[in-house]
Amino acid sequence: MSVRVRRIYDPPEPDDGLRVLVDRLWPRGVAKDAAHVDKWPKGLTPSTELRRWFHSDEGSYAEFRGRYEAELGAPEAAELLDGLRESVRKGPVTLLTASKKPEQSHASVLAELLEG
């Protein structure tokens, strides 16, 4: 199946499939009804501490990825990840983020885990 990452600010497309917001906070300037978000599993997002650490430019993306994958091993996150994997088996899933660099964000880590 197909998993892709897009910015929430991009308009929805017909082939998006299930649209999942993977940010802990609702993106600024985006109306909830216009975003067409189907799911918002906040438990899959990086912890506040990890986000702050990563955005402080203290560590590398590789280190962020390792720390984030460790957080995804927690019971709640693992359960949500399994549920999202089930959705991927049923059809296309688009992970939505407000990140300016989605290719170097938690959303891309999730996409790789879901496809693997």
Side-chain angles (χ1 to χ4, degrees):
M1 290 296 138
S2 165
V3 178
R4 66 182 187 163
V5 176
R6 298 186 64 218
R7 294 195 72 222
I8 186 96
Y9 302 106
D10 298 333
E13 294 182 356
D15 59 345
D16 280 348
L18 183 72
R19 291 172 54 88
V20 182
L21 178 62
V22 294
D23 289 347
R24 187 168 300 265
L25 304 173
W26 189 264
R28 290 183 182 153
V30 177
K32 289 189 178 184
D33 59 335
H36 301 281
V37 170
D38 299 310
K39 287 187 178 185
W40 188 14
K42 295 178 190 176
L44 277 179
T45 63
S47 66
T48 301
E49 296 79 19
L50 182 57
R51 280 187 302 110
R52 286 182 180 157
W53 172 83
F54 183 56
H55 293 296
S56 70
D57 293 328
E58 291 181 23
S60 68
Y61 176 70
E63 188 173 351
F64 166 78
R65 179 188 179 96
R67 290 182 181 195
Y68 179 47
E69 287 180 3
E71 287 187 354
L72 290 173
E76 178 191 2
E79 186 176 326
L80 289 168
L81 191 58
D82 287 343
L84 206 47
R85 280 189 182 109
E86 187 61 34
S87 296
V88 170
R89 286 193 264 287
K90 295 176 183 176
V93 172
T94 299
L95 304 179
L96 302 167
T97 182
S99 174
K100 292 178 182 177
K101 295 180 182 178
E103 67 282 353
Q104 284 196 333
S105 73
H106 65 288
S108 65
V109 174
L110 280 175
E112 288 179 31
L113 292 174
L114 291 169
E115 289 180 329

